[in-house]
Amino acid sequence: MIAHETLKSQIIKALWQLIIEGKILPNQPMREVHLAELLNISRTPLREALQQLEWEGIIVSESRKGYRLAQFSENDITEIYPLRARLESFALELSGIPTQKVLDELIEINQKILNTTSSKQIVELDERWHLLLISNCSNERLLKMIKILHRQSQRYEYAYMEMNNTVEKSVTQHENIILHLQNGQLHQAVELFAKNNLVGIDTLINWLNSKSK
Amino acid sequence: MIAHETLKSQIIKALWQLIIEGKILPNQPMREVHLAELLNISRTPLREALQQLEWEGIIVSESRKGYRLAQFSENDITEIYPLRARLESFALELSGIPTQKVLDELIEINQKILNTTSSKQIVELDERWHLLLISNCSNERLLKMIKILHRQSQRYEYAYMEMNNTVEKSVTQHENIILHLQNGQLHQAVELFAKNNLVGIDTLINWLNSKSK
DNA sequence: CTTTTGCACATTGTATACAATATACAAATT
DNA sequence: AATTTGTATATTGTATACAATGTGCAAAAG
């Protein structure tokens, strides 16, 4: 049986690509006819996709004025990362100590992060690492919220690395978390995981402030 | 200047009313033409509203099979309430001790809860109380997530009270939380607030199990 | 009698058409 | 010259039309 991915979800992916590649700029109006022509689809499924991205906090809209990519702001960063830290910590609590198999995979991904120089891949691998760590969490709603926050933070990370050609690696922190999990110290791992989620904040805020000058 | 509420948001409200009034039953297919005729609008904005409610976890859809109201399940309850507890606690932490003005209002709402017998109003007042308590929280994303979880839990509460003509009051717990806040004991209030959010779980699960027999 | 196949119909998915509003610019007014 | 007002155009909001897929039932095959 073929899954037959819906147009809407394809459009969301395409728009997301345009956004992280910087093809769509913040505050620029996203005109529906233009995007529909670009992606070769009609306005109906496009609007559905736009509404979902709005829902996810990536784009914003004003009634009868249309959609535009949300402006970067320091406030976003101070909202997103601490919230991510809380939610992911909670998810790790609920997950408990991972199985040996998962721990091995976590080590493997971390090794890949260490070895790659592609910033884009580092961001992707970092997300995979985070999601794998909490993959035993059975609270689907919690996981969904975390994934939304990933998207929101990734927009900043991609934009940052677009200008700096680099992105922070948290290999050592990951190692530390794994170590504590291997020793059965879940609570300590949870604390470290929370801290790990906060590590990028200052860098991003500094970059943002220097950029706006 | 007139705000001119969009059709989509009006439709969402109308659908929500139909849902909590039990006019739409779980698992029943929600046919688009039928609902569009009922609400006297076209399918386009209706679909947009349906998609948003799906996003909020109220209704579910299968590709090319359409939307239906999500079935009640014990798993939902064990997901929603503990998550709410965490998020609201976090929001209270961020809010800090409320001002005297807010504390007075909290006491006032709590008094209203004590004096009313209308279950529907109790649910509404309880939500107002919770949101007011954390109203000083500046993390908009966090508040948005909390509101979504309120909707999800309220669906259960409305369904419960539809069959039992009653709903639990947490007046005493609210009083206790206020008391600690007045004494400047934020951390204790946060703990109590978390517990307050978990108080309905057993009742709802028992009801759900007895219902399905 | 049971199972399968094909067809009519119901329903969702997508595209287009039409309506309402916002925007930009020119002409008129002060 | 600055401000306002009117009008053409661009753009979003909503409705309708068409396409693709799913569903149910009857007739045929075994």
Side-chain angles (χ1 to χ4, degrees), chain B residues 65-123:
Chain B
K65 286 197 174 180
Y67 294 88
R68 59 195 164 75
L69 189 55
Q71 192 71 268
F72 291 115
S73 93
E74 190 177 324
N75 181 58
D76 280 351
I77 296 170
T78 57
E79 280 196 20
I80 296 165
Y81 286 90
L83 189 49
R84 249 188 77 162
R86 280 287 174 134
L87 295 186
E88 291 194 5
S89 298
F90 186 32
L92 181 53
E93 262 181 63
L94 295 177
S95 289
I97 306 270
T99 61
Q100 189 57 49
K101 186 166 168 293
V102 170
L103 284 170
D104 289 343
E105 274 188 80
L106 286 168
I107 292 166
E108 196 186 319
I109 296 173
N110 210 29
Q111 198 61 39
K112 277 189 194 161
I113 294 175
L114 188 64
N115 292 333
T116 187
T117 51
S118 153
S119 299
K120 193 158 180 284
Q121 277 199 359
I122 292 170
V123 171

Side-chain angles (χ1 to χ4, degrees), chain B residues 51-65:
Chain B
Q51 283 170 32
Q52 174 149 344
L53 284 174
E54 181 183 19
W55 236 115
E56 294 183 18
I58 304 297
I59 65 181
V60 293
S61 81
E62 276 176 287
S63 188
R64 299 196 180 273
K65 286 197 174 180

